[in-house]
Amino acid sequence: MEYRKLGESDLELSVITFGSWAAGGWMWGGTERSDAVDAIKASYDLGVTSIDTAPVYGQGLSEEIVGEAIKGLPRDKVQILTKYGMRWDLEKGSLAFKSKNNDGQDIDIYKYAGKESIIEECESSLRRLGTDYIDLYQIHWPDVTTPIEESMEAVQRLIEQGKVRYAGVCNYDAEQMKTAESAIRLASNQVPYSMVNRGIEEVVVPYCLANKKAVLAYSPLERGLLTGKIKPGHHFQEGDHRAQHKYFSEDNVKRVNVFLDKLRPMALDKGASLGQLVLRWTIEKPGITVALVGARNAEQAVQNAKAVDVKLSAEELSFISRELLAIGI
């Protein structure tokens, strides 16, 4: 495994970081808890020491699964990344969207990052995770109803109390990061990034490079689309959000598969899967610190971790860029 520093902090993350949204089952058609625990443990055995989660993933279930998986591991050898600011149990802030929990019950998800709410959320996360500190605490989405400075001051208090080591943000633009830094020193920004979703290259990545902030890329496999396993006509399980997502429209799935067919010979030559090739490409991109990758069982976790063994030359990276341009991505 390879490790990289998180901005100017002394926190090092594994370049393949375990993303545990799918582990919580919510919006992914359910989960098998024991499989999710095994996936995290299998990742750790291969050097994936960093785990990203959030309270809203499974409405606490994902954090509980992470806590179960790391129980008994040396705490200083594991980096726990979690979030705040998405409430399903409090009607405050702005309504993000309506959803259903893992039991099929209707729930409303709110974006809210008021000071006292953050303090409360942190205590709940610590309890579910079975730890007394969080390595990286990140606001999940911007909250337009609360001043950014108020949210960051709450996290600063948690840092002073030793409950949080470093502060990060998710889904922030450069201006929002600047505002946050008037109240706290940020270590990172977690944003969506993949071969087919590269919007952050325009402003966010240059800003983070110039200001020495880490970029945590989530959905690098574009929710499984870039593994090559999603074909036109694919049927998703009940409750799987991908069925309605724009990237999984019939036309887009066809277009992406044309591109992936161009990469298959390269992957085959390296003895790698398409997913592994895509992950290596992701962590080779300038400004990208780590790739957050989900897995629902040990087999998937092992395949993700082994992406670090893939090597890409400058010529191969250029070839991939040309093929992306050729299909208009």
Side-chain angles (χ1 to χ4, degrees):
M1 186 51 59
E2 299 170 20
Y3 303 88
R4 293 176 182 168
K5 277 201 170 189
L6 196 72
E8 294 181 293
S9 76
D10 62 359
L11 184 64
E12 286 197 342
L13 303 185
S14 50
V15 292
I16 300 298
T17 289
F18 192 96
S20 59
W21 177 16
W26 175 63
M27 296 179 72
W28 288 87
T31 190
E32 174 52 58
R33 184 177 183 131
S34 61
D35 285 349
V37 170
D38 288 346
I40 294 171
K41 289 182 175 179
S43 293
Y44 180 82
D45 289 343
L46 290 175
V48 176
T49 57
S50 311
I51 308 166
D52 180 80
T53 183
V56 77
Y57 298 160
Q59 294 71 62
L61 179 58
S62 176
E63 286 188 327
E64 290 176 3
I65 286 171
V66 172
E68 181 179 341
I70 66 170
K71 192 175 183 179
L73 296 177
R75 181 61 185 87
D76 62 344
K77 303 297 183 186
V78 180
Q79 301 83 49
I80 296 177
L81 292 50
T82 194
K83 309 180 187 79
Y84 62 90
M86 293 285 278
R87 300 295 298 256
W88 67 94
D89 53 347
L90 183 69
E91 294 184 10
K92 273 194 172 183
S94 61
L95 179 66
F97 56 93
K98 293 179 175 292
S99 185
K100 291 182 181 294
N101 64 19
N102 285 343
D103 295 324
Q105 299 167 326
D106 292 332
I107 55 173
D108 293 336
I109 310 296
Y110 287 84
K111 295 177 182 177
Y112 181 60
K115 196 168 188 176
E116 297 309 314
S117 179
I118 293 170
I119 302 300
E120 177 190 340
E121 282 203 76
C122 183
E123 294 298 334
S124 296
S125 289
L126 290 171
R127 184 181 67 253
R128 287 188 290 258
L129 291 162
T131 186
D132 56 2
Y133 69 92
I134 293 162
D135 293 282
L136 181 67
Y137 205 34
Q138 310 157 96
I139 187 167
H140 205 149
W141 283 92
D143 167 23
V144 298
T145 70
T146 304
I148 290 173
E149 296 90 341
E150 177 185 330
S151 302
M152 297 305 140
E153 285 166 8
V155 178
Q156 183 60 45
R157 182 198 297 180
L158 292 169
I159 290 174
E160 292 165 0
Q161 293 173 347
K163 295 175 181 177
V164 168
R165 292 186 64 196
Y166 296 104
V169 295
C170 303
N171 305 298
Y172 263 36
D173 61 28
E175 287 303 315
Q176 290 165 328
M177 291 184 74
K178 287 179 187 176
T179 302
E181 289 231 288
S182 69
I184 201 168
R185 186 179 184 184
L186 294 178
S188 59
N189 190 2
Q190 183 179 147
V191 281
Y193 183 70
S194 73
M195 284 181 168
V196 296
N197 182 13
R198 306 202 309 277
I200 62 166
E201 291 178 353
E202 296 178 13
V203 177
V204 172
V205 169
Y207 175 86
C208 289
L209 281 170
N211 292 277
K212 299 180 180 177
K213 307 302 174 189
V215 175
L216 283 57
Y218 73 80
S219 297
L221 294 174
E222 206 52 66
R223 300 167 172 83
L225 178 62
L226 293 171
T227 64
K229 297 175 182 176
I230 307 292
K231 303 294 184 183
H234 184 88
H235 177 72
F236 291 101
Q237 292 182 48
E238 183 71 25
D240 193 319
H241 74 287
R242 292 176 293 181
Q244 306 302 322
H245 197 282
K246 64 179 182 179
Y247 284 118
F248 293 88
S249 69
E250 191 81 354
D251 287 345
N252 198 63
V253 170
K254 288 178 181 176
R255 185 167 63 128
V256 170
N257 271 283
V258 167
F259 162 70
L260 292 175
D261 285 342
K262 300 289 183 65
L263 297 192
R264 288 183 194 279
M266 185 188 298
L268 187 63
D269 184 59
K270 296 177 182 295
S273 67
L274 278 172
Q276 289 169 333
L277 192 72
V278 170
L279 291 177
R280 184 76 242 189
W281 174 91
T282 304
I283 56 177
E284 289 291 336
K285 296 297 287 182
I288 304 299
T289 310
V290 304
L292 304 180
V293 199
R296 301 179 75 169
N297 55 55
E299 181 182 355
Q300 290 177 358
V302 168
Q303 289 302 308
N304 292 338
K306 289 185 175 180
V308 295
D309 298 331
V310 178
K311 304 302 176 188
L312 290 172
S313 67
E315 291 77 16
E316 288 168 330
L317 289 168
S318 295
F319 171 80
I320 293 171
S321 296
R322 288 195 302 272
E323 291 302 324
L324 283 170
L325 282 172
I327 60 167
I329 295 178

